[in-house]
Amino acid sequence: YAPWCGHCKALAPEYAKAAGLLKEDKSEIRLGKVDATVQSELGERFKIRGYPTIKFFIDGNPVEYNGGRTADEIVAWCKKKSGPAAIQITSVDDYNKAKTANEVFVLGLFKKQDSANAVLFNAVAQAVDSVSFGITSEQSVFDELKVSKDEAVILLKDFDEGRNDFDGEYSEEALKKFISSNQLALVNEFNQETAQKIFGGEIKVHNLLFAAKSIDEKVLKDFKEAAKEFRGKAIFVLIHTDVDENERVLEFFGLKKQDSPTIRLISLGQDMTKYKYESDEINKEKVAQFVRDFFDNKLKPHLLTQEIPDDWDAKSVKVLVGKNFAQVAKDKSKTVLVEFYAPWCGHCKQLVPIYDQLGDHFKSNADIVIAKMDSTVNELEDIKIQSFPTIKLFPKDSDQVIDFNGERTLEALTKFVESNGKEGAGATEEEAAGADDADENGDDESKDAGKEEL
């Protein structure tokens, strides 16, 4: 952790609580913490690139933690990794305790625990970290749950309908889908505790309702009713616009507090494509139709753009927005260098004086344009920015787009432009299509501001 990290501060009380729960349980599992800003050698040794990072050591070997951030979730994950994935339920009392202790609990009921389906259930329990699992062959538990079959899998939860019974063909894929489809509420409020469950699951289509805490109950009820049709296909999320921690999420979608209530849908593929709810009315049928249209490929992506400033070309560094980008950057009669930045990005702020000098250096050259674009409020269909700052060159008389990967100095940038991208270049967009967008050195700040807030 880092002492200045807000997410580390938010995690600290839950982490301490988890340690206390393990101690009360007389567990051999121990929780520790390392200030990586002081113990920098340890941070480098274990390749720590973000805070908080949690690793679980088993026999000295580190395993990446990918569970939730509540005390119960931390405890459940650690126990699962260090012992049986599914706990043995040997009585109705055991069952009631496990159900009470877990918001979501998946119970496998197998008369023979060495059957093929029981073995499969245990394998799924080992693989799925987001919920707790139990297994039983005790007849009294079968009776308590009114199960007459020899084998059953039941998901129990303390929200919505409370119980879901698996009724498909037994396979790893089918069981995982059953769990991921039912472990979340119909509508999930976005916060520190739910973030990992929302973004870490297998369902990558999210329908987001942005609203103040004083939201009309009818709007929330209709949103919840619409969600029923898409269980297992899309996650419906409520984001409170009057919670300060959600400001970056609003920014990511180009929204302001006064825009609420409104809806956006996002597909969490490689490009994080967003879609805008166009109706002024939020009711069950219109919300459901909006999501249906997405799955039927009837929606067009929603790209953010500002209006073109009157003085966009008044200075040596030209100001681009979504509406004038193609006209300027893709003008084949000129070589155009564009910095894609975020106003809050520290690396971008450090670059400002150097980039302004670069603009002054080329301002008398009619064949070269130095430009910048705020990519938090301007998006492009064919160019996706993953980190800030990103610098790209659009050479004269060419369709090529060349990434700058050199040092961010006036000399290096000048050479890059004057050499038409031959010095300091990265891969072309075509060559980089399959490359990993992540910055391994952690030097740049993520484009996915809303998601990165997790």
Side-chain angles (χ1 to χ4, degrees):
Y1 74 98
W4 43 258
C5 165
H7 300 302
C8 301
K9 293 175 183 176
L11 175 63
E14 291 295 319
Y15 197 68
K17 183 181 176 183
L21 291 172
L22 289 167
K23 185 176 181 180
E24 287 175 17
D25 200 30
K26 296 182 171 55
S27 170
E28 293 185 359
I29 299 168
R30 297 289 181 267
L31 301 191
K33 61 182 182 179
V34 175
D35 182 347
T37 66
V38 175
Q39 305 293 335
S40 55
E41 288 185 11
L42 270 178
E44 284 301 313
R45 178 178 166 190
F46 292 105
K47 298 181 171 59
I48 305 304
R49 296 290 179 252
Y51 302 116
T53 292
I54 304 175
K55 292 179 183 285
F56 189 53
F57 290 81
I58 303 173
D59 295 330
N61 299 311
V63 176
E64 291 294 333
Y65 177 82
N66 55 8
R69 293 193 181 178
T70 66
D72 288 342
E73 288 170 327
I74 294 168
V75 169
W77 189 95
C78 290
K79 285 185 175 181
K80 178 182 291 187
K81 291 300 180 184
S82 58
I87 61 172
Q88 282 290 336
I89 302 296
T90 59
S91 66
V92 172
D93 188 45
D94 282 351
Y95 156 70
N96 286 326
K97 286 179 180 177
K99 181 185 174 186
T100 302
N102 296 283
E103 185 181 42
V104 179
F105 184 62
V106 181
L107 181 62
L109 298 99
F110 298 94
K111 289 291 179 66
K112 294 181 179 180
Q113 292 195 26
D114 59 354
S115 71
N117 288 338
V119 171
L120 175 67
F121 176 80
N122 276 308
V124 171
Q126 189 68 54
V128 176
D129 294 323
S130 55
V131 297
S132 295
F133 289 79
I135 189 168
T136 188
S137 53
E138 201 59 40
Q139 185 59 48
S140 60
V141 181
F142 278 69
D143 295 340
E144 176 74 12
L145 289 164
K146 296 179 172 59
V147 174
S148 57
K149 300 182 293 183
D150 287 348
E151 298 185 326
V153 175
I154 299 174
L155 185 144
L156 301 139
K157 54 195 179 186
D158 62 9
F159 51 84
D160 293 345
E161 66 273 27
R163 169 175 171 166
N164 303 103
D165 289 60
F166 179 69
D167 59 2
E169 294 289 329
Y170 279 82
S171 71
E172 184 174 346
E173 181 181 358
L175 281 173
K176 284 182 176 179
K177 185 174 181 182
F178 165 72
I179 294 165
S180 65
S181 297
N182 294 292
Q183 68 176 332
L184 291 174
L186 281 169
V187 174
N188 303 271
E189 182 183 337
F190 176 82
N191 55 43
Q192 185 73 26
E193 286 71 39
T194 62
Q196 177 65 28
K197 290 182 180 178
I198 293 170
F199 284 101
E202 295 182 9
I203 301 172
K204 300 302 182 184
V205 177
H206 298 173
N207 196 34
L208 314 174
L209 171 60
F210 292 85
K213 288 186 176 180
S214 57
I215 181 175
D216 184 337
E217 283 300 317
K218 183 182 182 305
V219 171
L220 188 55
K221 182 181 178 182
D222 277 15
F223 189 68
K224 187 173 183 177
E225 285 294 315
K228 292 179 180 178
E229 181 180 335
F230 304 99
R231 170 157 269 170
K233 296 177 65 180
I235 297 175
F236 278 53
V237 183
L238 171 63
I239 300 178
H240 285 306
T241 54
D242 43 6
V243 173
D244 291 342
E245 288 78 7
N246 293 338
E247 285 185 10
R248 287 277 289 276
V249 186
L250 286 166
E251 179 188 286
F252 180 68
F253 285 90
L255 295 171
K256 295 184 175 8
K257 291 181 181 180
Q258 55 266 35
D259 294 325
S260 67
T262 190
I263 292 174
R264 295 291 185 271
L265 186 147
I266 183 166
S267 177
L268 297 178
Q270 184 177 354
D271 295 335
M272 303 273 291
T273 310
K274 308 165 194 170
Y275 300 86
K276 182 180 179 181
Y277 182 80
E278 298 290 355
S279 176
D280 293 330
E281 186 179 1
I282 297 176
N283 62 40
K284 174 186 172 182
E285 184 48 45
K286 288 187 177 180
V287 172
Q289 190 60 53
F290 171 61
V291 183
R292 282 186 215 118
D293 286 345
F294 165 78
F295 284 110
D296 292 339
N297 296 315
K298 293 181 180 178
L299 298 181
K300 290 185 177 179
H302 176 59
L303 300 172
L304 302 178
T305 183
Q306 295 174 297
E307 293 301 319
I308 302 173
D310 292 335
D311 60 347
W312 71 271
D313 63 345
K315 296 182 179 179
S316 57
V317 175
K318 312 306 176 187
V319 178
L320 304 186
V321 296
K323 291 186 175 181
N324 70 344
F325 180 86
Q327 177 187 350
V328 177
K330 297 188 177 181
D331 179 356
K332 291 186 181 180
S333 68
K334 302 178 188 297
T335 290
V336 183
L337 184 74
V338 182
E339 177 208 358
F340 300 86
Y341 73 96
W344 42 259
C345 164
H347 301 293
C348 303
K349 292 174 183 177
Q350 291 173 2
L351 183 60
V352 169
I354 295 170
Y355 206 71
D356 285 344
Q357 291 176 53
L358 186 72
D360 291 340
H361 180 80
F362 288 109
K363 67 180 180 181
S364 59
N365 190 327
D367 294 328
I368 294 175
V369 174
I370 306 300
K372 63 182 180 181
M373 187 172 86
D374 180 350
S375 287
T376 65
V377 286
N378 295 282
E379 296 173 325
L380 305 169
E381 189 169 359
D382 55 341
I383 297 176
K384 303 301 179 184
I385 305 303
Q386 303 298 336
S387 63
F388 300 122
T390 291
I391 301 172
K392 293 179 181 286
L393 186 73
F394 299 79
K396 181 178 179 179
D397 298 325
S398 172
D399 290 321
Q400 196 176 25
V401 181
I402 305 172
D403 287 312
F404 174 74
N405 284 331
E407 293 185 21
R408 292 174 194 145
T409 63
L410 178 61
E411 181 182 6
L413 286 163
T414 301
K415 285 183 179 178
F416 179 66
V417 175
E418 290 177 341
S419 68
N420 234 15
K422 291 175 182 174
E423 292 191 37
T428 64
E429 289 226 316
E430 291 79 3
E431 293 169 333
D436 184 356
D437 287 317
D439 183 343
E440 292 183 356
N441 295 319
D443 288 337
D444 292 341
E445 301 191 44
S446 171
K447 164 70 168 72
D448 306 333
K451 186 177 178 184
E452 194 70 15
E453 281 298 282
L454 306 183

